[in-house]
Amino acid sequence: MTNDSTPNTPREWRKIGFIGTGHMGQALIQALVEGGRVSPAKIFATNRSPGKLKKVQELFGVTPLATNEELIDKCEIVIIAVKPQDLTSVIEPIASTFLPNQIVISLAAGFSLRSLQKLLPKVKALIRVMPNTPATIRKAVVGYCLGPEASAYGPMMEDLLSPMGLVVHAPEGELFEALTVGCGSGPGFIFELMQYWQEWIEEHGFEPEIARQMVVQTFLGAAQLAVRAEDTPLHDLQERVVSKKGVTAAGLQSMRELEIERALRYSFEKAVLRDQEISRGTAKD
Ligand SMILES: NC(=O)c1ccc[n+]([C@@H]2O[C@H](COP(=O)([O-])OP(=O)(O)OC[C@H]3O[C@@H](n4cnc5c(N)ncnc54)[C@H](OP(=O)(O)O)[C@@H]3O)[C@@H](O)[C@H]2O)c1
């Protein structure tokens, strides 16, 4: 790593290293390169197995490195994109090679800034990022929170992450938990609902292929309507579908009687509890 001062604005970005080029590592590399934020020549990566590393080299022109030590030596910004359960074993052996002026960004769900600081006592600027899977098509909601010594890096993070989709700053705690569950896990919950929808349509006689398309287009159409009418409350958009004593009204009344909202809230809170358990290190398998 050079001795130049730590990058502060996107223009000053120098080298960015990815430890892990799985789903999220690849999504972020793709967004950075295709969004024109960083030249591929400034992106370096490692991965445990060689196949994915070769793929990001071929697809995005980033430079593969043989070891994590080499990557830390080269890069001012190090993005850790390994699974949370691997994070400690990946970082512990290389922790002493980090320099105090490096910026370390962790994507690991449930791994708090405090736990990161314990693992990386030498590093001052620690940042957490919470993407979701639509990052792969640059339609993510991606949240970030800044460690106490990283407060100056908000603009840099906004610029770094914006090619992935909507960027939201959320301090660690209740806000970051809500973002983790509502958006990080969100696509998982939405796909659960979409499967119920598809099954019900199929049960009424449609073939699976067209039933799938019908559901996807219904979700997409509703979401795009909401995007177009961004100043309109969601409730008002819903009202446009509902006529008094009509078909939709009957379905909605039943949804409310069955307390679908309560069931969803309960599920979200369960997910928050799990996130808290993982953060505290008290999670049972
Ligand atoms: N997927 C999501 O929806 C989502 C949402 C929010 C946050 N995240 C976070 O994003 C992070 C990455 O998740 P993911 O879904 O991208 O997981 P993933 O696809 O399993 O990617 C993790 C990558 O890390 C590599 N790796 C493991 N040990 C390594 C080491 N010592 N050195 C270099 N690379 C190593 C793995 O290599 P192999 O090729 O050997 O497996 C794998 O390619 C996680 O911390 C997760 O919490 C994911």
Side-chain angles (χ1 to χ4, degrees):
M1 188 184 146
T2 65
N3 273 336
D4 298 342
S5 62
T6 310
N8 207 348
T9 71
R11 309 259 170 280
E12 295 166 355
W13 283 353
R14 296 187 179 88
K15 294 171 188 151
I16 302 186
F18 283 82
I19 299 182
T21 56
H23 295 105
M24 279 303 155
Q26 274 184 43
L28 190 44
I29 290 172
Q30 181 173 5
L32 284 177
V33 172
E34 290 180 356
R37 286 296 185 280
V38 188
S39 146
K42 290 183 176 178
I43 303 179
F44 298 81
T46 61
N47 195 68
R48 187 172 49 193
S49 60
K52 292 175 197 163
L53 199 54
K54 199 162 184 299
K55 187 176 160 197
V56 289
Q57 181 187 16
E58 285 169 3
L59 286 177
F60 309 116
V62 307
T63 306
L65 296 173
T67 66
N68 290 334
E69 286 84 347
E70 218 181 318
L71 181 137
I72 294 162
D73 189 47
K74 264 197 159 46
C75 299
E76 282 86 356
I77 301 176
V78 177
I79 300 182
I80 307 171
V82 301
K83 288 275 188 210
Q85 61 269 29
D86 293 333
L87 196 133
T88 304
S89 63
V90 171
I91 297 305
E92 255 175 4
I94 52 173
S96 62
T97 54
F98 282 88
L99 292 176
N101 65 340
Q102 276 174 310
I103 300 173
V104 175
I105 299 174
S106 162
L107 305 188
F111 216 94
S112 66
L113 287 167
R114 186 199 287 241
S115 310
L116 280 173
Q117 191 66 76
K118 269 196 201 153
L119 263 182
L120 293 166
K122 278 166 79 178
V123 177
K124 288 192 194 140
L126 293 170
I127 298 169
R128 282 182 71 187
V129 165
M130 175 56 55
N132 63 8
T133 52
T136 52
I137 53 163
R138 299 172 59 186
K139 296 280 182 201
V141 174
V142 50
Y144 69 94
C145 63
L146 304 166
E149 304 264 359
S151 53
Y153 295 118
M156 183 194 84
M157 290 308 293
E158 297 278 336
D159 203 75
L160 179 79
L161 300 174
S162 59
M164 295 176 99
L166 174 69
V167 183
V168 180
H169 172 243
E172 207 169 47
E174 196 174 348
L175 287 178
F176 204 76
E177 284 166 8
L179 177 123
T180 299
V181 170
C183 306
S185 305
F189 303 143
I190 302 277
F191 287 128
E192 181 78 9
L193 297 180
M194 289 171 90
Q195 288 172 76
Y196 303 158
W197 234 269
Q198 180 178 342
E199 277 164 24
W200 184 82
I201 290 178
E202 280 180 41
E203 280 165 19
H204 285 73
F206 282 98
E207 292 300 325
E209 195 183 328
I210 185 70
R212 184 188 189 281
Q213 287 176 21
M214 288 159 73
V215 174
V216 171
Q217 187 65 22
T218 302
F219 275 71
L220 183 67
Q224 283 185 341
L225 268 184
V227 170
R228 289 266 173 96
E230 61 178 343
D231 295 328
T232 310
L234 295 177
H235 177 262
D236 293 359
L237 290 175
Q238 184 187 42
E239 284 295 299
R240 290 178 197 171
V241 191
V242 184
S243 48
K244 218 174 167 189
K245 296 195 178 169
V247 175
T248 313
L252 282 173
Q253 187 186 337
S254 184
M255 285 173 109
R256 287 163 191 161
E257 281 166 9
L258 290 167
E259 298 192 82
I260 304 283
E261 182 188 0
R262 201 159 77 90
L264 283 177
R265 279 173 176 271
Y266 184 81
S267 310
F268 294 162
E269 293 304 331
K270 279 276 180 190
V272 167
L273 286 177
R274 180 67 180 167
D275 184 54
Q276 291 170 343
E277 276 174 9
I278 296 171
S279 296
R280 285 196 304 267
T282 55
K284 297 189 187 82
D285 288 340

CSV table of all heavy atoms in Angstrom, one decimal, residues 177 180-182 185 189 264-278:
chain,number,residue,atom,x,y,z
A,177,GLU,N,-31.0,-2.6,12.0
A,177,GLU,CA,-31.7,-3.9,12.1
A,177,GLU,C,-32.9,-3.9,11.2
A,177,GLU,O,-33.2,-4.9,10.5
A,177,GLU,CB,-32.2,-4.1,13.6
A,177,GLU,CG,-31.1,-4.6,14.5
A,177,GLU,CD,-31.5,-4.5,15.9
A,177,GLU,OE1,-32.7,-4.2,16.2
A,177,GLU,OE2,-30.6,-4.7,16.8
A,180,THR,N,-31.7,-4.3,7.7
A,180,THR,CA,-31.3,-5.7,7.5
A,180,THR,C,-32.5,-6.6,7.2
A,180,THR,O,-32.5,-7.4,6.2
A,180,THR,CB,-30.5,-6.2,8.7
A,180,THR,OG1,-29.4,-5.3,8.9
A,180,THR,CG2,-30.0,-7.6,8.6
A,181,VAL,N,-33.5,-6.5,8.1
A,181,VAL,CA,-34.6,-7.4,7.9
A,181,VAL,C,-35.6,-7.0,6.8
A,181,VAL,O,-35.9,-7.8,5.9
A,181,VAL,CB,-35.4,-7.5,9.3
A,181,VAL,CG1,-36.7,-8.2,9.1
A,181,VAL,CG2,-34.5,-8.2,10.3
A,182,GLY,N,-35.9,-5.7,6.8
A,182,GLY,CA,-36.9,-5.2,5.8
A,182,GLY,C,-36.3,-5.3,4.4
A,182,GLY,O,-37.1,-5.5,3.4
A,185,SER,N,-33.1,-9.0,4.0
A,185,SER,CA,-33.9,-10.2,4.0
A,185,SER,C,-35.1,-10.1,3.1
A,185,SER,O,-35.7,-11.1,2.7
A,185,SER,CB,-34.4,-10.7,5.3
A,185,SER,OG,-33.3,-10.8,6.2
A,189,PHE,N,-38.6,-12.6,1.8
A,189,PHE,CA,-40.0,-12.6,2.2
A,189,PHE,C,-40.9,-12.4,1.0
A,189,PHE,O,-42.0,-13.0,0.9
A,189,PHE,CB,-40.2,-11.5,3.2
A,189,PHE,CG,-39.3,-11.6,4.4
A,189,PHE,CD1,-38.8,-10.5,5.0
A,189,PHE,CD2,-39.0,-12.8,5.0
A,189,PHE,CE1,-38.0,-10.6,6.2
A,189,PHE,CE2,-38.2,-12.9,6.1
A,189,PHE,CZ,-37.7,-11.8,6.7
A,264,LEU,N,-47.0,-10.7,9.5
A,264,LEU,CA,-45.8,-10.2,8.9
A,264,LEU,C,-44.9,-9.5,10.0
A,264,LEU,O,-43.7,-9.8,10.0
A,264,LEU,CB,-46.1,-9.3,7.8
A,264,LEU,CG,-46.6,-9.9,6.5
A,264,LEU,CD1,-47.0,-8.9,5.4
A,264,LEU,CD2,-45.5,-10.8,5.9
A,265,ARG,N,-45.6,-8.7,10.8
A,265,ARG,CA,-44.8,-8.0,11.8
A,265,ARG,C,-44.1,-9.0,12.7
A,265,ARG,O,-43.0,-8.8,13.1
A,265,ARG,CB,-45.7,-7.1,12.6
A,265,ARG,CG,-46.1,-5.8,12.0
A,265,ARG,CD,-47.1,-5.0,12.8
A,265,ARG,NE,-47.4,-3.8,12.2
A,265,ARG,CZ,-46.7,-2.7,12.5
A,265,ARG,NH1,-45.8,-2.7,13.4
A,265,ARG,NH2,-47.0,-1.5,11.9
A,266,TYR,N,-44.9,-10.0,13.1
A,266,TYR,CA,-44.3,-11.0,14.0
A,266,TYR,C,-43.1,-11.7,13.3
A,266,TYR,O,-42.0,-11.9,14.0
A,266,TYR,CB,-45.4,-12.1,14.3
A,266,TYR,CG,-45.0,-13.1,15.3
A,266,TYR,CD1,-45.0,-12.8,16.7
A,266,TYR,CD2,-44.5,-14.4,14.9
A,266,TYR,CE1,-44.6,-13.8,17.6
A,266,TYR,CE2,-44.1,-15.3,15.8
A,266,TYR,CZ,-44.2,-15.0,17.1
A,266,TYR,OH,-43.8,-16.0,18.0
A,267,SER,N,-43.2,-12.0,12.1
A,267,SER,CA,-42.1,-12.6,11.3
A,267,SER,C,-40.9,-11.7,11.3
A,267,SER,O,-39.7,-12.1,11.4
A,267,SER,CB,-42.5,-13.0,9.9
A,267,SER,OG,-43.7,-13.7,10.0
A,268,PHE,N,-41.1,-10.4,11.0
A,268,PHE,CA,-40.0,-9.4,10.9
A,268,PHE,C,-39.3,-9.3,12.3
A,268,PHE,O,-38.1,-9.3,12.4
A,268,PHE,CB,-40.5,-8.0,10.5
A,268,PHE,CG,-41.1,-7.9,9.1
A,268,PHE,CD1,-41.9,-6.8,8.8
A,268,PHE,CD2,-40.8,-8.9,8.2
A,268,PHE,CE1,-42.5,-6.7,7.5
A,268,PHE,CE2,-41.4,-8.7,6.9
A,268,PHE,CZ,-42.2,-7.7,6.6
A,269,GLU,N,-40.1,-9.3,13.4
A,269,GLU,CA,-39.5,-9.2,14.7
A,269,GLU,C,-38.7,-10.4,15.0
A,269,GLU,O,-37.6,-10.3,15.7
A,269,GLU,CB,-40.6,-8.9,15.8
A,269,GLU,CG,-41.3,-7.6,15.7
A,269,GLU,CD,-40.4,-6.4,15.7
A,269,GLU,OE1,-39.3,-6.5,16.3
A,269,GLU,OE2,-40.7,-5.4,15.1
A,270,LYS,N,-39.2,-11.6,14.6
A,270,LYS,CA,-38.4,-12.8,14.8
A,270,LYS,C,-37.0,-12.7,14.1
A,270,LYS,O,-36.0,-13.1,14.6
A,270,LYS,CB,-39.1,-14.0,14.2
A,270,LYS,CG,-40.2,-14.6,15.1
A,270,LYS,CD,-39.6,-15.5,16.1
A,270,LYS,CE,-40.6,-16.1,17.1
A,270,LYS,NZ,-40.0,-16.8,18.2
A,271,ALA,N,-37.1,-12.2,12.9
A,271,ALA,CA,-35.8,-12.0,12.1
A,271,ALA,C,-34.9,-11.0,12.8
A,271,ALA,O,-33.7,-11.2,12.8
A,271,ALA,CB,-36.2,-11.6,10.7
A,272,VAL,N,-35.5,-10.0,13.4
A,272,VAL,CA,-34.6,-9.0,14.1
A,272,VAL,C,-34.0,-9.7,15.3
A,272,VAL,O,-32.8,-9.5,15.5
A,272,VAL,CB,-35.5,-7.8,14.6
A,272,VAL,CG1,-34.7,-6.9,15.6
A,272,VAL,CG2,-35.9,-6.9,13.4
A,273,LEU,N,-34.7,-10.5,16.0
A,273,LEU,CA,-34.2,-11.2,17.2
A,273,LEU,C,-33.0,-12.1,16.8
A,273,LEU,O,-32.0,-12.1,17.4
A,273,LEU,CB,-35.2,-12.1,17.9
A,273,LEU,CG,-36.3,-11.3,18.7
A,273,LEU,CD1,-37.3,-12.3,19.2
A,273,LEU,CD2,-35.6,-10.6,19.8
A,274,ARG,N,-33.2,-12.7,15.6
A,274,ARG,CA,-32.1,-13.6,15.1
A,274,ARG,C,-30.8,-12.7,14.8
A,274,ARG,O,-29.7,-13.1,15.1
A,274,ARG,CB,-32.6,-14.4,13.9
A,274,ARG,CG,-31.6,-15.3,13.2
A,274,ARG,CD,-31.3,-16.5,14.1
A,274,ARG,NE,-30.3,-17.3,13.5
A,274,ARG,CZ,-29.6,-18.3,14.2
A,274,ARG,NH1,-29.8,-18.5,15.4
A,274,ARG,NH2,-28.8,-19.1,13.5
A,275,ASP,N,-31.1,-11.6,14.1
A,275,ASP,CA,-30.0,-10.7,13.8
A,275,ASP,C,-29.3,-10.3,15.1
A,275,ASP,O,-28.0,-10.2,15.1
A,275,ASP,CB,-30.6,-9.5,13.1
A,275,ASP,CG,-29.5,-8.5,12.6
A,275,ASP,OD1,-28.6,-9.0,11.9
A,275,ASP,OD2,-29.5,-7.3,12.9
A,276,GLN,N,-30.0,-10.0,16.1
A,276,GLN,CA,-29.4,-9.6,17.4
A,276,GLN,C,-28.6,-10.7,18.0
A,276,GLN,O,-27.5,-10.5,18.5
A,276,GLN,CB,-30.5,-9.1,18.4
A,276,GLN,CG,-31.1,-7.8,17.9
A,276,GLN,CD,-32.4,-7.4,18.7
A,276,GLN,OE1,-32.9,-8.2,19.4
A,276,GLN,NE2,-32.8,-6.1,18.6
A,277,GLU,N,-29.2,-11.9,18.0
A,277,GLU,CA,-28.5,-13.1,18.5
A,277,GLU,C,-27.1,-13.3,17.8
A,277,GLU,O,-26.1,-13.5,18.4
A,277,GLU,CB,-29.3,-14.4,18.3
A,277,GLU,CG,-30.3,-14.6,19.3
A,277,GLU,CD,-31.2,-15.8,18.8
A,277,GLU,OE1,-30.8,-16.5,17.8
A,277,GLU,OE2,-32.2,-16.1,19.5
A,278,ILE,N,-27.2,-13.2,16.5
A,278,ILE,CA,-25.9,-13.4,15.7
A,278,ILE,C,-24.9,-12.3,16.1
A,278,ILE,O,-23.7,-12.5,16.3
A,278,ILE,CB,-26.2,-13.4,14.2
A,278,ILE,CG1,-27.1,-14.6,13.8
A,278,ILE,CG2,-24.9,-13.4,13.4
A,278,ILE,CD1,-27.6,-14.6,12.4
